[in-house]
Amino acid sequence: MTQNPALEDILRNLAAIAAEQTGKPPAPSPPKGDPRSIADWDAAEVYISELAAYDPTYEEKIKALIAAQDEKLNRWMQLKHRITRDHNRRKREENELIAKMPPSVRKTMPRKVTKEVYEKRMQEYHTTLHKKWEELERENCRALAKWSVPFFCTRPGVLGEEDLNNHQKKMLDHLFDLFGKEPEVKDSVKKEDLEFSTASCTQNLATEKV
């Protein structure tokens, strides 16, 4: 993709002339400008539209990213349900075992499957969940930067951190609107708890080469 605006205009004009002569619509042109230098939302929106029209694989890549995120969320939810089912099964088995004991033994027999044990397992689950979510954020950041998504491949100094974070969130919403729907997060894992952390995304990209 050329970064020479004058050359891009010449190529567009030549394509338009050729289209008039052949009667065929001109092929989509590469988007104008350098996505790493975009600081304006309107320019970013236009760039994404032009890039999606120019590169037929672009939409597929974004949809695949969304689908992969959705699949991981569903897998994490299944793990949560499995922990709960396992706890309930073990508690039921323990109750059945204790019920067979003599009354004198039942009163003194310690319980192993307790509420505290369950809460500890769930706390470990949520700790692991948030670690995995942060890893997913970093993967998504690298992918979006590699695919020249404005505000994810931005050069240092083009935007302040707060503006960059706000634009990143807005761009994520825009990509979901264009290419897919946001995965539904169910049960005790709330969307706001797993929201894409663009602040950490910015910090990670500042220290990583994409």
Side-chain angles (χ1 to χ4, degrees), residues 156-168:
V158 173
L159 284 169
E161 183 175 342
E162 183 177 355
D163 287 338
L164 183 60
N165 291 339
N166 290 335
H167 281 316
Q168 285 175 342

Side-chain angles (χ1 to χ4, degrees), residues 143-160:
L144 295 173
K146 182 179 179 180
W147 300 336
S148 299
V149 175
F151 310 127
F152 287 91
C153 61
T154 303
R155 286 195 181 100
V158 173
L159 284 169

Side-chain angles (χ1 to χ4, degrees), residues 155-191:
R155 286 195 181 100
V158 173
L159 284 169
E161 183 175 342
E162 183 177 355
D163 287 338
L164 183 60
N165 291 339
N166 290 335
H167 281 316
Q168 285 175 342
K169 291 180 180 179
K170 190 173 181 179
M171 178 56 71
L172 287 172
D173 290 338
H174 183 58
L175 293 176
F176 276 122
D177 290 341
L178 286 177
F179 304 121
K181 63 180 182 179
E182 190 169 1
E184 182 181 359
V185 182
K186 301 178 181 180
D187 303 319
S188 63
V189 180
K190 300 177 182 178
K191 177 183 179 297

Side-chain angles (χ1 to χ4, degrees), residues 17-160:
I17 293 172
E20 291 178 0
Q21 293 175 347
T22 61
K24 297 180 180 179
S29 301
K32 296 180 180 179
D34 182 354
R36 297 170 298 177
S37 300
I38 292 177
D40 176 72
W41 171 255
D42 290 339
E45 193 172 17
V46 170
Y47 186 90
I48 287 294
S49 298
E50 292 180 347
L51 184 56
Y54 174 70
D55 182 359
T57 68
Y58 198 78
E59 180 176 350
E60 297 173 5
K61 290 187 290 190
I62 298 296
K63 284 184 175 180
L65 187 75
I66 295 172
Q69 177 174 294
D70 195 11
E71 192 275 334
K72 288 180 179 179
L73 284 173
N74 288 332
R75 191 163 65 242
W76 295 339
M77 291 303 96
Q78 291 172 8
L79 175 59
K80 172 181 176 291
H81 293 319
R82 189 158 60 246
I83 291 173
T84 300
R85 288 196 303 268
D86 180 62
H87 173 79
N88 291 336
R89 176 185 58 78
R90 292 174 62 239
K91 184 176 181 62
R92 183 173 60 253
E93 291 174 350
E94 184 180 60
N95 288 338
E96 291 173 353
L97 177 63
I98 293 176
K100 297 177 182 179
M101 300 290 180
S104 58
V105 176
R106 274 184 250 164
K107 293 180 180 180
T108 58
M109 188 172 183
R111 298 272 182 167
K112 295 182 179 180
V113 187
T114 63
K115 178 181 178 182
E116 290 73 22
V117 170
Y118 174 71
E119 290 177 347
K120 181 180 179 181
R121 291 192 67 189
M122 291 305 298
Q123 180 60 47
E124 292 171 350
Y125 161 79
H126 283 288
T127 299
T128 302
L129 174 65
H130 282 276
K131 181 179 179 181
K132 289 183 177 294
W133 183 255
E134 289 176 353
E135 293 173 355
L136 179 60
E137 286 179 350
R138 289 192 290 270
E139 292 174 5
N140 288 349
C141 286
R142 286 192 290 265
L144 295 173
K146 182 179 179 180
W147 300 336
S148 299
V149 175
F151 310 127
F152 287 91
C153 61
T154 303
R155 286 195 181 100
V158 173
L159 284 169

